[in-house]
Amino acid sequence: MLSGEAGNADSSAESSQEEKAKSSAESSQKAGSRGRFIRHLSRARRISLSSQPPVPLPLEPASKLSPSIPETHHSQAAAIFIANNIDILQQILLYLPPKSLLRFQCVSKQWLSIISDPAFRRLHSRFYPTTVGTSSSASAATEALFVFPWTYNKTPQELNFISLSDGYVNPMAKMVSHLNNFFDNGAIVDFHSCNGLLALVFKLDDCDDHREFVVYNPTTCQHRLIPKFNGSKPNDPQLNDPHFNDPYFDDPHFYHFQITRRFEALNIVFDPSKSDHFKLVYIWRDDYHGDTWDRCGFAVYASETGIWRESMDTLEMDPPDLPTTYFGNGVLWNGDLHWLNDFKYMICFDLDKECLHRDMPSLPVEFSEWEFWYFGECNGCLYVIEVNNPFGLLFDVFEMERDYSKWVLKYHIDLAPLRILYPSMVVEFVDRADRRQCTFGPFGMLFLLEDEKEKKASLVTAFPDKVMLYKINDAVVTEVAEVGPVDFGYSWKSHLNQWKDIYRHMETLAYV
């Protein structure tokens, strides 16, 4: 069990912290009419589930300032030496987080010159340990998550956030508010993030064909407008049919096919350990009305050249058997982009060759009514979370081998302790054949966190009215935020699907 530290901070510091957190929570609550609000809790409640009954843990004390170190003649001399040695100063600044560096530009003209230098920023983006999707990715602390409601028809939604740290509530609220109001006459219809850079698709003037693509760095507040992709026109296979223009051909079941090409998703790929530039992957879909198949195509935008290139590879699918592929939340791993569908088949897009790899290993579980619960990258590993035992709330975490040879079971996640607090997580019943069945209640897994040093895992989980951080190894729940109002739509699963686009907020000085 994770034990809480005894003792409290002085009352004045505690009250000021609560007032600040309260104002931050209220500002984050004011979401627009298109989205549900998320109100972050000040002094969040922590509960240990390893005790019977569950016991609230003491609140974590407010952080105290470190004792000041008295200046000596030697420390002053060392500071002067470092200040006059640009090489040493630059090496020290490389260890500092981006937000601190942006503030330190005001220290002196020399610091401003170093920190604003494009060469330094490129070096810092490669050096600072925030890169995900590679084997050398660092397990930097996750302080906040971007949350974007996912819908099938790409209706405008409000971008929101979940803060796992009190210090990030205000900055994230301002950041999200700025992005939601980026265009006076526009709203966000698609969102993706990778290593600190955001890709946003805005629909302007309530017109489906009027979209703007924006790449945004929330750390530096820099953005780039991406030119519109003008790809090839959809080809109609019936135009080459020998009977199409034959006036003597009379078949009441034959008619001309209408093809509609529509925007499917936009993914951003940014790996500062390999390149200073980013790429965008545009996915479009051709709907063949009257036929039995659809087709998806891909195009790649390179920030280095500013040019779109259409991939020659397409993905043809049969709608009656077509699983939903979540192209909106592609995962960068092993240098390529990956998507997963409801049948648990993974699709890989080779970013160098701009083509698909279809021969991906399937998960070692049979297809069932349960959709995958999580698909993402953590500490350089690609994970999928699947149901093992729905009655016991036991889940399996599978990891993909780096050579794509197979999925390997890494460990189990036991969520049974959560049922003590939320008994509606599993609903058991007996069907007509007297078989014991069950279904899941309204909860979902939003994000998987791993502490590589302590070998511990945590889950950000969502219920209809709450978002919680569940430390699996310690069986400790921290209530992070309250959520509402919630519209489940057709079912509670539609609500969980709307939370699939969730990305970690990361700081970077990268140029866009």
Side-chain angles (χ1 to χ4, degrees), residues 124-138:
H124 184 274
S125 297
R126 297 177 186 177
F127 182 82
Y128 191 70
T130 58
T131 304
V132 302
T134 62
S135 58
S136 59
S137 64

Side-chain angles (χ1 to χ4, degrees), residues 429-451:
F429 61 94
V430 177
D431 64 10
R432 293 181 178 179
D434 292 332
R435 293 175 300 185
R436 182 167 168 253
Q437 301 287 336
C438 80
T439 184
F440 287 108
F443 83 97
M445 302 178 189
L446 303 187
F447 211 81
L448 176 66
L449 305 172
E450 278 190 327
D451 190 325

